[in-house]
Amino acid sequence: MLKSKTFVKKTRSGGVMKIVREHYLRDDIWCGSEVCSECKQESTVLQRDACIESNLCPFPHYLVPDTNVVLHQIDVLEDPVIRNVIILQTVMQEVRHRSAPVYKRLKDLIHDKEKHFYTFTNEHHRETFIEREPGESANDRNDRAIRVAAKWYSQHLKTPEAEAEGLRVVLITNDQGNKAKAEESGLLVYRCEEYIKSLIANPELVDRLALSNNEQNEISSSKVLFPEHLPLSRIQAGIKSGTFLQGTFRASRDNYLEATVFVQGEGEDSTEIILQGLQNLNRAVHQDVVAVQLLPRDQWVAPSSVVLQDDVFNVQKGERGKVVGIIKRNWRPFCGMLNVSQIKESTRHLFTPADRRIPRIRIETRQASTLAGQRIMVAIDGWPKHSRYPNGHFVRSLGSAGDKETETEVLLLEHDVPHQAFSQAVLSFLPKMPWTITPEDMVKREDLRQLTVCSVDPPGCTDIDDALHCRELDNGNFEVGVHIADVSHFIRPGNALDKEAANRGTTVYLCGRRIDMVPELLSSNLCSLRSNVERMAFSCIWEMNHNAEILKTRFTKSVINSKASLTYAEAQMRIDDTSMNDDITKSLRGLNKLAKILKRRRIENGALTLSSLEVRFHIDSETHDPIDLQTKELMETNSMVEEFMLLANISVAQKIYDEFSECALLRKHPAPPPSNYDILIKAAKSKGLEIHTDSAKALADSLDVAKVDGFSYFNTLLRILATRCMMQAVYFCSGMDSDFHHYGLASSIYTHFTSPIRRYSDIIVHRLLAVAIGADSTYPDLMDKHKQSALCNNLNYRHKMAQYAQRASVAFHTQLFFKNRGILNEEGFILFVRKNAIIVLIPKFGLEGTVFFDGKGKTGVNLRFDEEVPSLTVEQHTFHMFDKVNVTISLDDSNIQHQKIRMALLEPVIPGVSVPAPEVEPQPKKPKLDR
Amino acid sequence: MAGLELLSDQGYRLDGRKATELRKVQARMGVFSQADGSAYIEQGNTKALAVVYGPHEVRGSRSRTLHDRAVINCQYSMATFSTAERKRRPHGDRKSAEMSLHLKQTFEAAVMTQLYPRSQIDIYVKILQSDGGNYSVCVNAATLAVIDAGIPMRDYVCACTVGFVDETPLADLCYAEEGGGGSSLALALLPRGGQIALLQMDAMTACKGVSKVLDEVVRQHLQDVSVLTRE
């Protein structure tokens, strides 16, 4: 029998469309019951002996729940006791529209053979299909459909056979009206509570009943979740009058319900306002510029002080407020992964960004099944006030998650590192190949080709930007030259190449990949001071006596011809090998000798020697997977090169500042506030040592003497800790600041001059110096301190991001490394003690990890934290900083998006906290290749 | 909000059909007396009218004349009232032009054109109401009209669309199923010889199971269609 369904629907563009669909009614939909002999069904689901022992229904019966019962009491329905249930198609469809998770659970129930749940397609059954009557609401029609179907079942099962069994159909509903109408039509109806309470054998089921205040549980989709944003005019008026404050919204990494707004006040002072709760966050996304209103004190809530994640969320004191409007959205495309909806036909899915501070985004896509397991990019389109999540759209796929290329792409994008290939406009400013030095180039250059210049760099370095020479003069003094690649000769101010380099700011070094600041032709060829080719350089030449005192300083543009490109190890070998006496070696020895004197003098002046562990991966040449990991070693030659670079930087800084006191680009390292050292002083005190932090000199001296017998690594640990106390060094323009001091190097002035291939700051310094010595002409932007200052801000930002990206890359490769190694057992030291965790450093891998003492499956552990020492007592054992512990290291990949290294305590053994030692698996000698 | 569930776990489609069931087919031949042949067909809510003129001598430019066989001229159009939103252009758009070409190709394969050299056969098909499977309904209508006109054919052309959802082939898609995101395959056959006159696939995502669709649905239901259209 054919029926036609007609209804109207609103289209996307807002119009109203009439939709006509066919609706076939069938005679071949069977009831699914064992007792039925009429239906020609092949297999039955509902049992003949459908007995649930109940006070109310002592006879066998089938249950017919209505939609609200399924939605709210799915926990009860899942109980093994509840069997022989008829789920009507009407109910299925309603559940599907209302709640995806419940729908999924319901489907699982139906597929479970033990449960005997039968789906009856009542909407297509000739006798149970009903049409909506005029004036009847959709809900009422569905309720009626359920009653009609239940009625049909009770009539249908009135066969002699079923009568003998006493089989009946019980409708379960919580709706009073529905119940009354059903009773009227002679059905057996119970409320859910009534029925469950009547079950004899299972009193505990009652506890699982959801409290139903039936009508209020109705999910209305048009509910407004957030307060309206104020229009811009009112925000501006509010900011002017001081009722609102403007600031940058920063979401908390650890708690999605918390955020801070950073309000830049007059001059230096700035305040942070704490926001809590979805309503107060009011749809602001990380980095948006927002207007906030302060809340009165009685509405304040204390921020959560317990660490929910690895990092500590500091308990901050500050004003509380709420977002009243968005001044500027700072949305960018976000990387992350798709949470595929539980309904497989659904086209709307939630997207979880890699950055925890970004909320989940709802997107619409039809290719969800292909996108699952891939890293994708999604852009936010808007955030309506009645939506829990912002709406967005799919931008592009980056590749499958966990893939090395994909993950590298993700971390570059997430750290805002410009890494696209250089554009044609940029490349057009490159010199034409083949390139040679022309006589015009020589006009303002000194010919230093005859000098024995050589470069010393890490192995595999192709962007060599510095080279050195040293020779003895006739008067017995030394002539020392530092030659830096003349990048500013190739990159002329203001062209596309220059703008691109200024934007990139720095070359980013990741494990196994380098993202160049300037195109490769320059970075690895024309600018790189390779051996035995003529290259243009900017030279800084000193005349020194044997005590390394500078007698004369000279800067010049030059042409050099490096005689050798050495690695640190090769240079070291030449110096140590007494049999070698060629010019290069002699030059190196002279440099080394002077460097030692310079270093000693610098340390006497109070320069800090800090420590941080850096790791190096041995990368498999074919698969590019990390196969080994070791901490970087430092050799004498490292410090030799470093010493002369520092000297050149300081000399240049002085020269450009003398020449341009308003617009010199310098680098400063502010002294940290004394409170930063608290942790260091406390830590040393616990070992009976005293650290003086009055000046850099005092700190350096006390670090030198801080040693504990039988604990050789202690000093390194202390230095690592001291490094964490430091401030970030920054670029600035001399005209905009008065404090030039470089704390770490104990120098009154400093800049970056020696790496123009990989840092844009050095290019600017080169240009300034070239103007100062009359080798090049100036241009307006170079002398504009405001533009210079803006440039410094970008450079500082890029440097910070590059550092984060590098760290993230190391972290990812560390994970790759541990992925194939199972659970490792390593020795480490406690670096910090936290309220509920200790942070452990594994010197062998330069790896830091957190051992949690609470959290999943570890409740009830007795923790006492003493902030003064600091120490953490777990049950009977007290942890202090620098304690030696044994931990197991494994990769936690339960969350593909946020894989991390998981550490667990092995020794000291604390019952209930520490884990048993992992079984030592014999390491396979050599992995066999199955081809 | 969830999309439409094209095939329920119980094996019923949106409109209550099972996977391999066709929609209700009703057809009439000879609906117009002035044309040489005509037919009206309904497949569910898709309704089409086909009219055949000819064979007659080639009209318009004589250069189109073929010496060994007849020229087949097809025109496909959709009534402006055939869809939920009124159509602006009943014919002449890209889609209609493509459809006309497909019809022409289909009937050049079926009609014994060599019997009428230097002549022309016109087939005009109009969709009166559209609810999925427009192409196949048109072919079926045109076949009936050609039969009505008494033009000899190698075999009756029967056409049907097939979709593919969850590894299950669905026969004779309605509009909602066509738009449901899966792939759809339109197929015109000469059932006696088992030859394919036209095969066209539209898919958003790559269809891996074309062979499965062809084997399971088409072969199985070929006979049904041919019997129905002959009535």
Side-chain angles (χ1 to χ4, degrees), chain A residues 201-300:
Chain A
N202 297 76
E204 79 277 0
L205 256 185
V206 178
D207 300 346
R208 290 215 229 161
L209 273 175
L211 286 178
S212 65
N213 29 359
N214 22 4
E215 257 56 68
Q216 284 150 25
N217 263 355
E218 300 281 309
I219 306 155
S220 58
S221 58
S222 60
K223 198 168 84 182
V224 177
L225 282 169
F226 296 104
E228 187 93 59
H229 285 151
L230 295 180
L232 205 58
S233 55
R234 279 190 58 195
I235 293 175
Q236 276 162 346
I239 290 171
K240 214 171 245 174
S241 68
T243 43
F244 301 151
L245 291 167
Q246 176 177 344
T248 316
F249 183 89
R250 291 180 184 168
S252 160
R253 218 179 266 276
D254 311 313
N255 188 340
Y256 69 97
L257 293 173
E258 274 180 15
T260 54
V261 170
F262 187 78
V263 179
Q264 187 77 46
E266 304 278 312
E268 286 294 290
D269 65 343
S270 52
T271 47
E272 282 201 340
I273 298 163
I274 299 170
L275 311 178
Q276 284 170 315
L278 282 180
Q279 295 273 325
N280 289 342
L281 300 184
N282 197 2
R283 294 173 277 158
V285 178
H286 186 65
Q287 289 293 346
D288 285 350
V289 180
V290 296
V292 282
Q293 185 177 26
L294 295 181
L295 289 173
R297 204 164 258 272
D298 57 321
Q299 288 177 25
W300 288 18

Side-chain angles (χ1 to χ4, degrees), chain A residues 461 544 635 759:
Chain A
C461 180
M544 287 183 181
M635 275 180 274
R759 290 191 302 236

Side-chain angles (χ1 to χ4, degrees), chain A residues 547 549 596-609 643 695-701 704 744-747:
Chain A
N547 280 330
E549 280 153 356
K596 280 181 184 164
I597 304 173
L598 286 168
K599 183 168 187 183
R600 202 179 59 227
R601 196 181 301 149
R602 205 164 53 84
I603 288 172
E604 275 166 15
N605 284 336
L608 293 171
T609 319
E643 230 30 74
S695 67
K697 169 87 177 130
L699 177 65
D701 289 346
D704 282 343
L745 296 172
S747 169

Side-chain angles (χ1 to χ4, degrees), chain A residues 780-844:
Chain A
D781 284 2
L782 193 64
M783 297 298 150
D784 185 333
K785 65 177 179 180
H786 295 287
K787 288 210 170 123
Q788 195 82 271
S789 187
L791 179 69
C792 287
N793 285 340
N794 181 45
L795 294 182
N796 287 330
Y797 170 73
R798 293 291 186 203
H799 268 263
K800 196 170 73 190
M801 282 330 217
Q803 240 172 35
Y804 290 163
Q806 272 155 34
R807 268 182 233 163
S809 173
V810 169
F812 173 66
H813 278 79
T814 313
Q815 284 162 12
L816 275 188
F817 176 74
F818 283 110
K819 193 174 186 174
N820 309 323
R821 275 169 184 70
I823 300 174
L824 290 183
N825 178 3
E826 286 298 335
E827 184 175 89
F829 298 98
I830 298 180
L831 205 51
F832 293 104
V833 178
R834 301 279 195 227
K835 218 171 233 179
N836 56 355
I838 52 172
I839 293 169
V840 178
L841 178 84
I842 313 287
K844 187 175 167 190

Side-chain angles (χ1 to χ4, degrees), chain A residues 2 17-18 20-24 26 28-29 96 103 107 111 119 121 124 343-346 348 366, chain B residues 1 3-5 9-10 12 14-18 21 23-24 44-45 84-85 166 176 179 181 204:
Chain A
L2 181 70
M17 202 158 81
K18 187 171 163 195
V20 181
R21 275 200 202 131
E22 283 181 295
H23 194 91
Y24 290 90
R26 318 180 61 105
D28 60 347
I29 297 174
R96 186 162 179 272
Y103 180 70
K107 275 204 147 183
H111 288 282
T119 322
T121 315
H124 290 290
I343 296 180
K344 69 175 186 298
E345 296 88 5
S346 176
R348 293 197 186 169
R366 278 185 170 177
Chain B
M1 281 289 280
L4 291 168
E5 189 181 40
D9 285 350
Q10 289 69 46
Y12 296 109
L14 285 172
D15 50 12
R17 283 184 285 156
K18 293 227 163 126
E21 285 172 349
R23 290 180 287 184
K24 191 175 174 184
N45 277 336
E85 275 176 323
D166 301 338
M204 294 274 282

